[in-house]
Amino acid sequence: QVQLVESGGGVVQPGRSLRLSCAASGFTFSSYVMYWVRQAPGKGLEWVGAIWFDEVTTYYTDSLKGRFTISRDNSRKTTFLQMNGLRAEDTAMYYCATLGLSHSLNHWGPGTPVTVSS
Amino acid sequence: QSALSQPPSASGSLGQSVTISCSGSRNDIGEYNQVSWYQQRPDKAPTLLIFGVTERPSGVPDRFSGSKSGITASLTISGLQSDDEAIYYCSSYAGSDASVIFGGGTTVTVL
């Protein structure tokens, strides 16, 4: 069955960088657009960005453009979220998800927590 | 784009129904039939309940139904069960690149 597992989260100081990974299994990874979504503690969901099948085409929410970069390696069935210049407001649970029909996110990983704190 | 607007809470008695609204704009819900609903239980990832305004993924009970009128989408949970206590989020394609916008979430309580 479809499985997504995020990793790489942790506690990081403001201004530092962190790279999250999302390992996929149980489906043809190269055929799926991958999304990243985050959720600050006690808050709602926020779309971070997405990467297309071609490993090149990416989209980001406006507020994160220039600081966050999404990539993927279809041969390794993994997508990555590179986060630079981290700020306290980036503290959140970070989820990867697959894009399904009608722009739904039909499969989600359990998430990996990121805490930005000095 | 602005977030979609949901009531913070909703409640209903066991066996009854509850409807959650999700208000957007002409640029998202009003333009696209690409509204989804997610259920999130405490400390768990969201799961997809409804896509394409009215469609249910396999495995989702038909007690969950979705609809849309104008710029407002709705999720109705019929025959409320205690297991339905969770936070429910709506989302819509926002028509710009790959953007998806979410509502702020509605906490459903079963009385």
Side-chain angles (χ1 to χ4, degrees), chain A residues 39-100:
Chain A
Q39 185 172 34
K43 302 296 184 182
L45 303 170
E46 179 186 21
W47 174 63
V48 171
I51 185 163
W52 247 241
F53 326 94
D54 61 6
E55 298 183 332
V56 174
T57 305
T58 54
Y59 300 100
Y60 303 92
T61 191
D62 287 345
S63 62
L64 297 178
K65 285 178 183 175
R67 285 200 304 128
F68 285 22
T69 303
I70 298 173
S71 60
R72 67 189 288 167
D73 183 338
N74 287 340
S75 66
R76 295 167 58 188
K77 300 182 182 180
T78 302
T79 182
F80 305 95
L81 177 63
Q82 177 70 41
M83 305 184 293
N84 298 330
L86 283 163
R87 306 167 181 167
E89 55 264 37
D90 296 319
T91 294
M93 183 69 78
Y94 285 75
Y95 299 100
C96 64
T98 53
L99 181 67

Side-chain angles (χ1 to χ4, degrees), chain A residues 35 39 47 59 103-105 109, chain B residues 34 36 38 40 45 89 97-98:
Chain A
Y35 272 60
Q39 185 172 34
W47 174 63
Y59 300 100
H103 257 89
S104 64
L105 300 178
Chain B
Q34 298 192 21
S36 302
Y38 302 88
Q40 186 177 35
Y89 293 93
D97 301 333

Side-chain angles (χ1 to χ4, degrees), chain B:
Chain B
Q1 298 87 357
S2 301
L4 305 175
S5 180
Q6 296 181 238
S9 63
S11 62
S13 302
L14 268 173
Q16 298 301 305
S17 297
V18 66
T19 296
I20 303 165
S21 61
C22 172
S23 180
S25 73
R26 291 186 302 174
N27 298 320
D28 38 70
I29 292 178
E31 175 138 6
Y32 304 100
N33 287 324
Q34 298 192 21
V35 176
S36 302
W37 290 90
Y38 302 88
Q39 179 189 64
Q40 186 177 35
R41 294 198 170 96
D43 299 319
K44 297 293 185 183
T47 60
L48 180 64
L49 278 180
I50 297 286
F51 66 95
V53 179
T54 61
E55 304 302 307
R56 284 185 308 276
S58 62
V60 173
D62 59 7
R63 301 188 296 104
F64 295 90
S65 61
S67 62
K68 187 186 95 166
S69 178
I71 63 170
T72 300
S74 299
L75 173 72
T76 297
I77 310 173
S78 305
L80 272 170
Q81 302 178 1
S82 57
D83 192 46
D84 296 333
E85 289 201 331
I87 302 176
Y88 293 83
Y89 293 93
C90 61
S91 76
S92 175
Y93 176 57
S96 169
D97 301 333
S99 62
V100 169
I101 53 174
F102 292 95
T106 298
T107 300
V108 168
T109 302
V110 180
L111 304 172

